[in-house]
């Protein structure tokens, strides 16, 4: 395995294409790379599409090869979301959460934990440009790990 290989959770892999982890997992399952319990199949391991980082290949202990899985998803017709669209969506969400609503129980800080780290500077810049006081802290991105 090359040192430059990027390994992602299903959530992070799906986020690239604007799909949920469940939808992403089902696509991998249809390819024969994931079983019904969410574990990578031997076929996925042989294709270097998946890596087990813990016992029994359960849950967060399975990581997926960004390059290999992206090729599959794009063959299935999925297109990666542009970086600018991702920044815009995160900015709008965090700005709305900062304003607040009685029907929303999640805080901006809680949602920011799910934001891809590579978007931090651009999202904070957009928040500032919109006059929003909220900023994503680099610490909040590490809270999920």
């Amino acid at each position: 395995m090359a040192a430059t290989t990027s390994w992602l959770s299903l959530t992070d892999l799906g986020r690239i294409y604007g799909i949920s982890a469940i939808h992403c997992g089902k696509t991998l399952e249809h390819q024969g790379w994931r079983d019904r319990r969410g574990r990578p199949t031997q076929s996925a391991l042989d294709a270097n599409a998946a890596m087990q980082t813990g016992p029994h290949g359960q849950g967060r202990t399975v990581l997926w090869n960004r390059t290999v899985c992206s090729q599959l998803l794009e063959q299935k017709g999925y297109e990666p979301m542009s970086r600018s669209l991702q920044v815009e969506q995160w900015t709008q969400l965090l700005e709305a959460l900062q304003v607040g609503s009685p029907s929303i129980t999640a805080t901006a800080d809680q949602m920011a934990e799910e934001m891809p780290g590579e978007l931090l500077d651009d999202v904070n810049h957009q928040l500032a440009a919109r006059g929003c006081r909220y900023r994503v802290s680099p610490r909040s991105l590490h809270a999920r790990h």
Side-chain angles (χ1 to χ4, degrees):
M1 287 181 271
T4 58
T5 300
S6 180
W7 295 95
L8 305 171
S9 68
L10 276 182
T11 299
D12 290 337
L13 182 60
R15 191 176 284 136
I16 294 168
Y17 295 91
I19 60 176
S20 70
I22 293 170
H23 192 92
C24 188
K26 288 189 183 291
T27 302
L28 296 173
E29 188 176 322
H30 287 266
Q31 178 67 19
W33 285 356
R34 191 169 180 256
D35 69 20
R36 289 190 169 168
R37 294 183 179 167
R39 296 180 298 213
T41 63
Q42 190 59 50
S43 177
L45 297 171
D46 292 345
N48 197 32
M51 170 175 61
Q52 296 182 29
T53 60
H56 310 296
Q58 300 270 338
R60 295 179 191 254
T61 63
V62 177
L63 296 175
W64 298 89
N65 184 317
R66 179 178 182 159
T67 304
V68 174
C69 293
S70 289
Q71 289 171 353
L72 168 69
L73 290 166
E74 289 172 26
Q75 287 172 359
K76 300 290 183 185
Y78 296 100
E79 293 182 17
M81 290 177 49
S82 72
R83 180 181 177 88
S84 62
L85 180 58
Q86 290 180 56
V87 168
E88 179 65 23
Q89 288 181 340
W90 276 104
T91 300
Q92 288 177 354
L93 173 65
L94 294 171
E95 185 178 36
L97 289 171
Q98 182 63 26
V99 171
S101 168
S103 62
I104 300 174
T105 58
T107 67
D109 286 336
Q110 289 169 325
M111 287 307 297
E113 290 177 11
E114 298 299 319
M115 189 181 81
E118 67 267 12
L119 301 180
L120 176 74
D121 291 337
D122 290 342
V123 168
N124 280 340
H125 179 73
Q126 282 288 327
L127 288 166
R130 290 171 172 249
C132 180
R133 291 184 183 181
Y134 181 77
R135 298 295 179 276
V136 179
S137 164
R139 288 187 306 263
S140 67
L141 298 177
H142 300 293
R144 66 179 169 178
H145 298 297

